[in-house]
Every structure is written in C-alpha cells, then in structure tokens.
C-alpha cells in the first residue's frame, strides 16, 4: 500500500515523504547503503585525485622531482601554461569538433538505417558497429598507419586519379589525425543515436506527411527533434574523449598536429608537475564549460 | 507534442528520507574524511632525493636463487624462443633469471619508477639498464646501490679502459656498462640517395616530411649543436638557444615527420620514412632482413653512448645481480651477445673470442671500433638537474 503511494503521477514530481510510515527509517538506511559503494568510489577515485591535481597545479614551478615541489599557491602557472600551450588547446578543440561533426554526419544515417530500415539485419548491424571494440584501441589506430602509409594502396590509388597531386600524402597530416578520431569514436555516436531513433514513433512522421509536410520537412521538424537526446548524448560522448585524446595524434600525426593530451602526457612523464596539472585542470574546466553551454543552448536539460 | 507519452514508466521503489539535502550533508561529511589524504597533497611533494645507504634491504640472494632483470627490447641474444647466454648462466649458477623487456625509453621508465624509488620503496627489479645520462641522474638521486666489486672480478679485469672511469660514477661503483652504441643516420636506398649529414637531413627538400629524429634529447640536440657549429661536450647557453632554433625551423618547415624511439624501424622499412636519426645496432639488425637500409657516419660525427646495468635501492637479490653482471664480462659470453645485438662490446678479449663465433664480425667497426673510428665520436656534456630540466622542457616544446 505504501509502495503504491510513492509512484509519481504522470507529471513526474518528487515522491512524498511519509514520516509516519513505520518502515521509513530502515529503508532510509538501505538507501544510503545502496549508495555507499558508488559514493566511496567517487570520493576515492574522483574527488581525492581532483584535489591532488588542483593543488599540484599551484606548486612552485621552480621545484623539481629531486628537491620536491612546495605548495605556494602559484596561480601564475595557469597563465604561463596558457600562453605556452594555448594554440595546442585551440587545435585540440578544432580537431575534436571536426571529428564530432564527421561522426554525426556518418553516424546519423547509419543509426537511422539500423533502427528503422534494417529489419532482421538489425542485430547483425549493431554487432558490426560494436565489433571493433573486440580489438584494442591501439591496434585499430596502428592499422590506420598501414592504410594511410605513403606507399599504401589507398594513397597509390588516389594518386592515380586526375587532379590529385602525385606527391599526395595522407599519413602524418591533420586529415589522418581527424580520420583516426572519427573512426575511433564513431560507435559512441551511433549507439545513443540508435537508442533514440529506435524509440521513434513512425506514426508521427506519417502524420506529418498527412499534413502535407515534405519528407525533408518531416525529417527536420519531427525526426530530428525526437532524436535530439541521442544527438546530444552522442556528440558529448564523442567530443569529450576526442578533445583529450593523444593516441591518434601520436601515431597518425606529425609534430605540428600535437593535441593537448600529448603535451600533458609528456609533461607528466618529464615530471613537470605544475604545468602538466594546470593544463589538465584547464582542459577539464574548458570541457565542462563548453558542455554546459551546449546542453543549455540545445534546450535538452531534461533529456540527457 | 507530449514527449513523455513514449517514455518508459519510471522506476519507483520507495526512497523516503533520502532527500537531496540530507544526502549532500552526509556526503560532505564523508567526503571530508576521505578527502583529507588528498588535501595533504596541498602541502607539496616530498623530495625524491634519498640516501642510498639508508634504502637497502637484506639481501635474500642466498635463499632465493632469482634475479629480476629489466632491459630494452631486442637487446639480448635470442635463438627462436630461447636465450642461449641467459640459459647458460642459469645452468652454471642455478640462479633463475626473470628477463623483462620493459624499458622502452629512459624518460618513460623513469616516470614508471620515480614514485617508489623516491620514497625508498622496492620496484621489484634487481637489474635495470639505463643510458648514461639517466644512470647519472638516478645515481645522483641516491636511487642506486653500491656494487661489491669483490663479486665482479671479470668486470674489473675486462672492462675497456675508456669506460672504466666516468664523471658521474667514478670507479664504476654503482654501474656496469651493458652495451655501447653510436647514433647516426640511416636511410632506405630504395627511396632516396645517400644522406651524408644532418644538415642535409634537415634541409633537403626531396625528403621533406619523410625523416624522423629521436625523442632522446641528448641524441638529437648533440647533432643540432654540431649543425650550428658548437661542441656538444662543452657548449654555452647561447649555442643551445641557436641549436633549439635550428630544430624548430626543421619542425615548422614540415621537414620532420615524427620524433621516435625504437619505432623508426618499422616506418623506415615500409618507406614512410626514407631517412632518420638511428641507433647503430638497430640498423645492422635491420640490414639482415632489408639490404636497402644503409647506415651513414654523418659529417658531423657520431654520438656515443652506453647503457648501464645498475641495482636499484631495496632490490632483494643484489648478489645474484652481481653474479649476472660478472657473467656477461666473460669474453666468450660477451662475443656471443655482441654477435647478436650488434652494438659496441665493452669487454676486452671479446674480439679474440669473436674469431670462433663469427669471424666476419671481428673487423666490424660498429662492434669493435678502433681508435681511429672512435675519434669521430662525441658525447653530450653532463647537466645539473636544473639545467637538464630547463633544456628538456625547451626540447619538448620544440618537438611539439
């Protein structure tokens, strides 16, 4: 009886607090107990490292591994890191943005086809989207080195085409890095899009057609808004890891395509803690800010 | 349009009293408890410099016949899946060797062990192999144990004279050379003509975007200093600045495709790289499979380095480690090893022993260089910790 009274109404709303219910207190503890593992996990592996990261970004930069770093609240680290690595930041976000758009353009038709047109092939196609995850991320990226290499059949075939310069090169260019990012993060775009489109009520599209909407208008006014949660989730899942990635740039790029992840990685290895930490914090803040603006602008707070 | 019509019914188990405010309050209190160790980081980090003599542990060599050996890939003789010289050592001494190739890059390995060694904690390895400058840095940090030369008669008798005394480890108290080598230029003759100097490597437009340099700062900057006319073993801050500028020019012009570790080998074989800065032993080994690969002594000279075996603090099997070091200074063993890895052999008498093993290698200047050949080599001057860090930061900014 009391369980029923907590079922929220059709409009949602918060469950009523029933202080008089005799079972309340015990269930309250159960709730906390259920949250305990997750909370401890978050505290240990998110909050503690975060505090460490932020404080090491404020260390005195004149310290070193041998002498130790002292905490002096050196905020200047941020300005220094930004002036030195600002252009790499811009480049990282540009690459990640381009890859995200490419993923959306490739992923939407694919997810649409799987969700609405694939029929009995649907599960097979889904497996095909996920299948690359069965091999390692590194291995997949290394394979692109073979595909795009200077003497590979792809490059040789392209060079044979008219209008393509004979000294065309694909590997170790920005194009290769963006291609790698697009390829590696495409499933993260396709799966949420598929989840959204799969729930699409086709009768709504039919209704739009009945009301004299052209296929394109119906797509623009019915399908896309209904797929919005998937689009938002997919772009976030693609953009965020892509902006911090360093493997693609390391393996497919050249010294002028380095992304911020490469610099952070190198600086930590060289144990230049203050700069490395300041860059990490800035990357995190920049991504959170961008995501917040994006989610608000697309008016999808409730959908994510 | 009512979007909630197709929404799945909400999960609705009762969660009374678990109001958001109550939860946040609880979490904040819990967070304080767990977050405290993290907050301690706000006080800075401890110095990683330790006193080596205070960081030893009791040697278990007598009771545990084991030695854990961490080396670079492709740096030991292999016959199929077997390692002949290591197996002979195991048979001779009864000490089991756990051989790992987990050193790919000096800086990377340093990053891997710095937290433990900086805190006087064991890293589970009894022998590590580091290049001169990194060996110097680790010894300076107090991370390396002093060796007992009573256990190293072969080393004392057979180590080549020019390596017996180095500035960073007088009398070889804490290190024993494993192999030495040269850094020079390699090219793939299928795709380009001879590249005879670094100056050409960095400016020839025909090979633009198809060359690589090494991520090892001392290797690459040694040659850059030579290119601007400075002496890598004794240069000024100004000269360093010019050399960095020269490197930046080569990077921004697009001449340099990548900065690499050992991984230039694949790219040079495939032709993605047509010429590169390379290590001598790698190149000779490549030539067995691909005769197009050529080795050049650049006009600027050859950079000379050694990799050194050392026993880190808190290693449990120091005496076993010393037995292994001593074993590899037996001339015959050293020659067997050199015939496979093709690097410079630091052991006297190995040249004579090589007559029996592979006579064709006795006169190979890259394994047994004579004095005349050695005259073309240069070394990188040693840097104090602060300068080293400044230079390394500038270098990593230039290559990125």
């Amino acid at each position: 009886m009391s369980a029923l009274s907590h079922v929220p109404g059709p409009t949602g709303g918060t469950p009523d607090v029933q202080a008089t219910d005799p079972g309340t207190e015990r269930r309250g503890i159960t709730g906390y107990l259920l949250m305990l593992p997750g909370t401890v996990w978050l505290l240990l592996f998110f909050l503690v490292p975060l505090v460490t990261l932020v404080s090491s970004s404020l260390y005195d930069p004149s310290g070193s591994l041998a002498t130790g770093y002292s905490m002096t609240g050196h905020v200047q680290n941020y300005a220094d890191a930004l002036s030195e690595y600002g252009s790499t930041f811009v480049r990282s976000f540009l690459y990640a943005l381009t890859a995200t758009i490419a993923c959306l353009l490739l992923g939407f038709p694919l997810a649409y086809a799987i969700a609405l047109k694939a029929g009995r092939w649907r599960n097979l196609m889904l497996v095909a989207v996920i299948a690359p995850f069965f091999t390692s991320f590194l291995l997949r990226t290394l394979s692109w080195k073979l595909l795009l290499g200077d003497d590979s059949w792809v490059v040789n075939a392209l060079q044979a085409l008219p209008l393509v310069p004979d000294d065309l090169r694909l590997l170790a260019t920005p194009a290769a890095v963006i291609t790698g990012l697009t390829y590696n993060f495409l499933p993260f775009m396709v799966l949420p899009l598929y989840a959204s489109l799969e729930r699409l009520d086709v009768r709504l599209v039919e209704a739009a057609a009945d009301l004299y909407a052209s296929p394109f208008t119906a797509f623009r006014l019915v399908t896309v808004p209904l797929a919005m949660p998937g689009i938002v989730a997919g772009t976030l899942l693609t953009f965020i890891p892509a902006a911090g990635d360093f493997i693609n740039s390391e393996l497919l790029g050249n010294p002028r395509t380095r992304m911020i992840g490469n610099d952070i990685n190198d600086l930590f290895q060289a144990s230049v803690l203050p700069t490395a930490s300041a860059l990490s914090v800035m990357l995190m803040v920049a991504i959170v800010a961008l995501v917040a603006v994006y989610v608000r602008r697309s008016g999808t707070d409730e959908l994510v | 349009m009512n979007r909630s019509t197709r929404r799945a019914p909400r999960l609705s188990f009762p969660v009374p009293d678990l109001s958001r405010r109550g939860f946040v309050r609880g979490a904040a209190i819990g967070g304080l408890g767990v977050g405290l160790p993290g907050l301690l980081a706000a006080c800075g980090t401890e110095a990683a410099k330790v006193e080596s003599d205070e960081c030893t542990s009791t040697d278990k060599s007598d009771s545990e016949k084991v030695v854990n050996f961490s080396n670079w890939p492709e740096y030991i003789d292999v016959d199929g899946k077997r390692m002949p010289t290591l197996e002979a050592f195991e048979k001779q001494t009864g000490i089991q060797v756990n051989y790992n190739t987990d050193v790919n890059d000096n800086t990377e390995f340093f990053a891997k062990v710095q937290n433990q060694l900086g805190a006087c904690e064991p890293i589970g390895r009894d022998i590590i192999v580091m290049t001169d400058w990194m060996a110097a840095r680790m010894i300076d940090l107090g991370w390396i144990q002093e060796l007992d030369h009573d256990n190293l008669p072969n080393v004392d008798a057979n180590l080549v004279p020019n390596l017996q005394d180095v500035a960073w480890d007088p009398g070889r108290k804490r290190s024993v050379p494993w192999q030495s080598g040269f850094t020079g230029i390699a090219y793939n003759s299928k795709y380009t003509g001879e590249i005879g100097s670094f100056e050409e490597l960095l400016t020839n437009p025909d090979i633009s975007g198809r060359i690589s340099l090494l991520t090892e700062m001392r290797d690459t900057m040694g040659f850059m200093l030579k290119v601007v006319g400075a002496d890598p073993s004794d240069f000024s801050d100004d000269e360093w600045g010019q050399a960095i500028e020269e490197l930046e020019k080569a990077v921004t012009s697009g001449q340099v495709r990548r900065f690499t570790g050992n991984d230039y080998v694949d790219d040079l074989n495939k032709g993605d790289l047509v010429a590169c800065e390379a290590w001598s032993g790698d190149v000779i080994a490549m030539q067995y499979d691909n005769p197009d690969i050529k080795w050049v002594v650049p006009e600027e000279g050859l950079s000379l380095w050694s990799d050194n075996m050392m026993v880190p603090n808190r290693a449990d099997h120091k005496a076993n480690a010393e037995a292994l070091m001593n074993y590899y200074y037996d001339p015959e063993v050293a020659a067997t090893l050199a015939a496979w890895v093709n690097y410079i052999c630091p052991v006297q008498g190995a040249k004579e022993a090589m007559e029996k093993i592979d006579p064709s290698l006795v006169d190979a200047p890259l394994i047994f260089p004579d004095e005349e050949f050695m005259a073309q080599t240069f070394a990188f001057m040693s840097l104090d910790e602060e300068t080293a860090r400044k230079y390394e930061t500038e270098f990593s900014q230039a290559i990125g």
Side-chain angles (χ1 to χ4, degrees):
Chain A
M1 171 234 47
S2 76
L4 269 180
S5 71
H6 292 293
V7 176
T11 49
T14 49
D16 310 345
V17 179
Q18 299 217 328
T20 51
D21 192 314
T24 300
E25 213 165 299
R26 238 195 54 203
R27 280 205 296 271
I29 294 170
T30 314
Y32 279 113
L33 282 179
L34 284 173
M35 282 212 267
L36 191 66
T39 313
V40 169
W41 178 274
L42 267 182
L43 287 172
L44 269 182
F45 299 112
F46 179 70
L47 195 66
V48 175
L50 189 67
V51 170
T52 314
L53 188 70
V54 172
S55 53
S56 49
S57 73
L58 298 172
Y59 287 166
D60 178 6
S62 64
S64 72
L65 183 81
T67 58
Y69 286 99
S70 56
M71 177 68 185
T72 53
H74 198 89
V75 187
Q76 185 67 24
N77 284 341
Y78 282 86
D80 292 346
L82 198 62
S83 70
E84 191 66 54
Y85 295 99
S87 56
T88 322
F89 260 113
V90 174
R91 185 189 299 140
S92 301
F93 285 131
L94 273 181
Y95 284 4
L97 185 69
T98 317
T100 307
I101 293 171
C103 276
L104 186 61
L105 293 179
L106 288 170
F108 200 97
L110 181 60
Y112 190 87
I114 298 176
L116 300 170
K117 306 286 176 197
R120 64 198 176 91
W121 298 104
R122 181 195 278 191
N123 285 340
L124 193 69
M125 286 177 77
L126 271 180
V127 170
V129 169
I130 304 166
F133 283 120
F134 295 147
T135 55
S136 105
F137 181 66
L138 271 180
L139 212 60
R140 282 181 275 140
T141 313
L142 282 169
S143 318
W144 277 96
K145 273 187 85 162
L146 289 180
L147 273 179
L148 301 178
D150 289 358
D151 213 7
S152 67
W153 61 267
V154 178
V155 171
N156 288 335
L158 282 174
Q159 281 170 346
L161 296 175
L163 294 179
V164 176
D166 281 346
D167 58 352
L168 170 93
R169 223 181 282 152
L170 290 178
L171 192 58
T173 63
V177 179
I178 293 170
T179 307
L181 287 171
T182 307
Y183 164 79
N184 276 312
F185 294 111
L186 186 62
F188 295 103
M189 178 65 87
V190 173
L191 294 179
L193 277 177
Y194 164 78
S196 268
L197 288 169
E198 188 249 357
R199 291 191 303 175
L200 179 78
D201 189 344
V202 282
R203 287 173 302 174
L204 295 171
V205 184
E206 288 163 13
D210 289 345
L211 295 169
Y212 296 100
S214 68
F216 178 72
T217 312
F219 176 77
R220 192 166 59 89
L221 293 180
V222 179
T223 311
V224 170
L226 284 176
M228 215 48 199
I231 295 175
V232 173
T235 43
L236 291 182
L237 284 176
T238 312
F239 181 81
I240 295 173
D245 181 85
F246 67 97
I247 296 293
N248 286 287
S249 165
E250 181 76 41
L251 296 178
L252 306 175
N254 66 44
R256 285 160 300 140
T257 64
R258 284 165 65 87
M259 296 175 67
I260 199 68
N262 300 78
D263 284 326
I264 294 176
N265 183 38
D266 287 0
L267 286 166
F268 268 118
Q269 283 197 348
S271 48
V272 188
L273 294 184
T275 316
S277 311
L279 285 176
S280 309
V281 172
M282 282 193 284
L283 177 66
M284 215 157 22
V285 170
I287 287 179
V288 169
L290 282 173
V291 166
V293 171
Y294 172 67
V295 170
R296 181 138 319 165
R297 284 292 300 266
S298 46
T300 45
D301 293 274
E302 41 152 346
L303 295 173
V304 185
Chain B
M1 201 180 319
N2 185 352
R3 286 180 194 155
S4 66
T5 46
R6 282 184 54 78
R7 198 176 273 175
R10 278 204 188 168
L11 287 176
S12 55
F13 47 87
V15 280
D17 209 17
L18 196 54
S19 67
R20 183 179 282 198
R21 182 174 298 175
F23 171 70
V24 169
R25 200 185 307 133
I29 294 166
L32 261 183
V34 184
L36 267 180
L39 288 174
L40 290 180
C43 310
T45 63
E46 302 249 341
K49 193 161 184 158
V50 299
E51 288 300 324
S52 176
D53 301 340
E54 292 164 15
C55 286
T56 50
S57 47
T58 334
D59 195 1
K60 297 184 194 151
S61 290
D62 289 332
S63 53
E64 293 178 13
K65 290 283 178 200
V66 181
V67 61
N68 299 306
F69 187 177
S70 279
N71 203 349
W72 297 63
E74 322 233 346
Y75 218 13
I76 199 160
D77 52 315
V78 177
D79 181 9
K81 280 187 178 166
R82 300 175 46 240
M83 298 181 205
T85 55
L86 269 190
E87 277 173 24
F89 170 75
E90 290 182 332
K91 213 176 274 172
Q92 193 180 322
T93 60
I95 298 170
Q96 190 207 330
V97 184
N98 297 322
Y99 186 80
N100 285 308
T101 53
D102 54 356
V103 188
N104 274 304
D105 178 306
N106 284 301
T107 314
E108 198 183 292
F109 189 80
F110 184 86
K112 198 153 45 173
V113 298
Q114 64 184 30
N115 286 339
Q116 291 101 306
L117 287 176
C120 252
E121 280 163 22
I123 56 168
R125 300 173 177 89
D126 302 310
I127 301 184
I128 57 176
V129 178
M130 296 280 114
T131 308
D132 295 326
W133 65 273
M134 181 55 82
R137 189 173 176 194
M138 288 184 166
I139 290 176
D140 188 51
L141 285 166
W143 292 357
I144 303 299
Q145 296 193 44
E146 190 167 341
L147 300 168
D148 182 357
H149 272 262
D150 289 344
N151 293 337
L152 300 169
N154 286 349
V155 178
D156 289 342
N158 297 336
L159 177 59
V160 291
N162 63 341
L163 289 175
Q164 276 168 8
D165 221 16
V166 283
W168 46 269
D169 184 20
R172 288 283 176 189
K173 285 201 183 77
R174 294 170 197 268
S175 66
V176 172
W178 172 252
Q179 301 284 295
S180 302
F182 300 112
T183 309
I185 295 177
Y187 66 92
N188 189 330
S189 62
K190 194 173 151 193
Y191 299 99
T192 179
E194 180 176 317
I195 306 296
S197 70
F198 261 74
E199 194 141 18
E200 190 184 352
L201 187 71
L202 296 173
T203 50
N204 186 340
D206 298 340
I207 55 173
S208 172
R210 304 185 78 179
I211 69 138
S212 72
L213 300 175
L214 293 168
T215 49
E216 287 282 344
M217 186 266 271
R218 284 151 183 86
D219 276 333
T220 299
M221 288 314 291
F223 282 106
M224 298 313 301
L225 284 158
K226 278 277 186 184
V227 168
V228 299
D231 177 4
S233 60
D234 181 21
F235 58 88
S236 69
D237 225 33
D238 277 352
E239 288 170 325
W240 167 267
Q242 290 169 26
I244 279 284
E245 235 169 77
E246 194 69 23
L247 179 65
E248 276 168 348
K249 238 190 321 184
V251 172
T252 27
S253 72
Q255 183 83 6
V256 182
R257 183 186 187 110
R258 290 184 66 205
F259 286 86
T260 67
N262 270 85
D263 44 338
Y264 62 81
V265 171
D266 267 353
D267 288 355
L268 188 63
N269 253 329
K270 272 191 304 193
D272 285 345
L273 292 172
V274 297
C276 65
E277 185 181 9
W279 289 311
S280 54
D282 281 352
V283 180
I284 303 173
M286 280 171 83
Q287 285 172 338
Y288 289 125
D289 299 326
N290 185 350
D292 290 331
I293 305 294
K294 305 283 185 228
W295 166 260
V296 189
V297 178
E299 278 168 29
E300 289 87 0
L302 288 168
S303 154
L304 176 67
W305 44 265
S306 302
D307 287 335
N308 306 276
M309 296 183 274
M310 300 184 295
V311 181
N313 287 348
R314 302 289 311 274
D316 286 334
H317 312 100
K318 180 163 160 267
N320 292 346
E322 287 161 348
L324 187 130
M325 293 176 179
N326 195 51
Y327 168 78
Y328 275 101
Y329 271 73
D330 179 301
E332 222 164 290
V333 178
T336 314
L337 178 66
W340 200 90
V341 300
N342 299 297
Y343 278 105
I344 310 170
C345 183
V347 179
Q348 288 180 41
K351 188 169 178 164
E352 291 71 34
M354 189 61 101
E355 307 259 5
K356 280 180 271 170
I357 292 161
D358 187 347
S360 72
L361 294 179
V362 174
D363 292 319
L366 295 179
I367 299 177
F368 301 109
D370 54 20
E371 258 170 57
E372 200 185 326
F373 195 83
M374 289 299 270
Q376 323 171 67
T377 64
F378 58 84
F380 201 88
M381 80 178 186
S382 70
L383 308 168
D384 61 68
E385 178 84 12
E386 195 186 328
T387 320
R389 210 166 54 115
K390 174 172 168 271
Y391 285 178
E392 265 155 33
T393 310
E394 286 180 22
F395 177 68
S396 78
Q397 280 165 0
I399 71 177

